[in-house]
């Protein structure tokens, strides 16, 4: 939604796309580092269930349409289109679905670079056409269907996390309870 507002307001697609790229790389790199940290401190068997629950939560969240009030649009600034887009997108992505998904994926997979590049590519696949096609595309994009497909993908990742075996002796809730009880002095 923000990319559509920026495209309509500034009508300069290349600096907008560049700003989206820089903001997303920075935001997702920080999210990926947070995910790597979580993976290093949370036991594997506990992490599996936390990730599954998180993916199910994001699946439900994906069904809720994004909304952007007119007051949320960045004003034209002396910094220019690139800087305004970079700052607006970085701030807008804090705590957003894609940032949460990046944290979860980085907690699941060891390659920080692959996670950040993959989630950034996903953001660009969605936002670049929106910037270039603007209002004409927004009328034709079946946003409800896009939300349903995204929710199904996140739910599928949740199911996949549930079905994975960990290296712990016992998987599942019993394994978590055993792990927690083994840690007591």
């Amino acid at each position: 939604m923000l990319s559509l507002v920026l495209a309509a307001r500034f009508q300069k697609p290349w600096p907008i796309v560049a700003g989206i790229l820089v903001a997303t790389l920075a935001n997702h790199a920080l999210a990926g580092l947070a995910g790597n940290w979580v993976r290093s401190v949370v036991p594997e068997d506990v992490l599996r269930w936390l990730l599954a629950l998180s993916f199910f939560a994001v699946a439900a969240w994906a069904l809720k349409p994004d909304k952007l009030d007119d007051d949320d649009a960045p004003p034209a600034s002396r910094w220019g289109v690139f800087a305004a887009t970079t700052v607006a997108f970085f701030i807008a992505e804090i705590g957003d679905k894609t940032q949460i998904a990046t944290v979860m994926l980085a907690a699941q997979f060891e390659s920080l670079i692959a996670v950040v590049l993959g989630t950034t590519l996903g953001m660009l696949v969605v936002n670049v056409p929106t910037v270039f096609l603007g209002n004409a595309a927004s009328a034709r994009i079946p946003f409800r269907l896009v939300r349903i497909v995204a929710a199904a993908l996140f739910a599928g990742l949740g199911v996949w996390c549930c079905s994975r075996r960990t290296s712990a002796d016992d998987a599942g809730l019993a394994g978590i309870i055993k792990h927690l009880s083994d840690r007591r002095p």
Side-chain angles (χ1 to χ4, degrees), residues 109-170:
F109 301 105
E110 288 186 34
S111 178
L112 176 63
I113 292 172
V115 168
V116 171
L117 291 179
T119 57
T120 300
L121 180 62
M123 284 290 289
L124 292 176
V125 164
V126 170
N127 286 291
V128 170
T130 303
V131 169
F132 280 101
L133 301 175
N135 289 326
S138 69
R140 295 188 178 132
I141 296 172
F143 288 111
R144 184 171 186 273
L145 177 62
V146 169
R147 286 192 307 273
I148 290 169
V149 169
L153 289 172
F154 281 117
L157 286 170
V159 169
W160 178 74
C161 284
C162 287
S163 66
R164 284 187 55 226
R165 298 285 302 176
T166 64
S167 61
D169 294 332
D170 297 313

Side-chain angles (χ1 to χ4, degrees), residues 25-49:
L25 281 171
N27 190 293
H28 290 198
L30 292 173
L33 289 170
N36 276 352
W37 176 79
V38 167
R39 185 172 21 88
S40 71
V41 297
V42 176
E44 184 181 2
D45 50 338
V46 175
L47 182 61
R48 176 175 74 135
W49 293 105

Side-chain angles (χ1 to χ4, degrees), residues 51-185:
L51 287 170
L53 289 173
S54 298
F55 279 124
F56 290 134
V58 171
W61 188 6
L63 293 172
K64 182 181 181 292
D66 289 332
K67 79 173 201 178
L68 182 67
D69 297 329
D70 289 335
D71 296 339
D72 294 338
S77 74
R78 63 173 191 248
W79 294 356
V81 176
F82 170 77
T85 300
T86 303
V87 170
F89 240 85
F90 184 85
I91 291 170
E93 284 299 303
I94 294 173
D96 195 49
K97 291 172 242 185
T98 52
Q99 186 186 45
I100 303 301
T102 303
V103 171
M104 293 182 318
L105 290 168
Q108 182 70 31
F109 301 105
E110 288 186 34
S111 178
L112 176 63
I113 292 172
V115 168
V116 171
L117 291 179
T119 57
T120 300
L121 180 62
M123 284 290 289
L124 292 176
V125 164
V126 170
N127 286 291
V128 170
T130 303
V131 169
F132 280 101
L133 301 175
N135 289 326
S138 69
R140 295 188 178 132
I141 296 172
F143 288 111
R144 184 171 186 273
L145 177 62
V146 169
R147 286 192 307 273
I148 290 169
V149 169
L153 289 172
F154 281 117
L157 286 170
V159 169
W160 178 74
C161 284
C162 287
S163 66
R164 284 187 55 226
R165 298 285 302 176
T166 64
S167 61
D169 294 332
D170 297 313
L173 186 57
I176 293 171
I177 294 168
K178 180 181 183 304
H179 177 77
L180 293 174
S181 65
D182 288 347
R183 296 180 91 187
R184 289 190 210 170

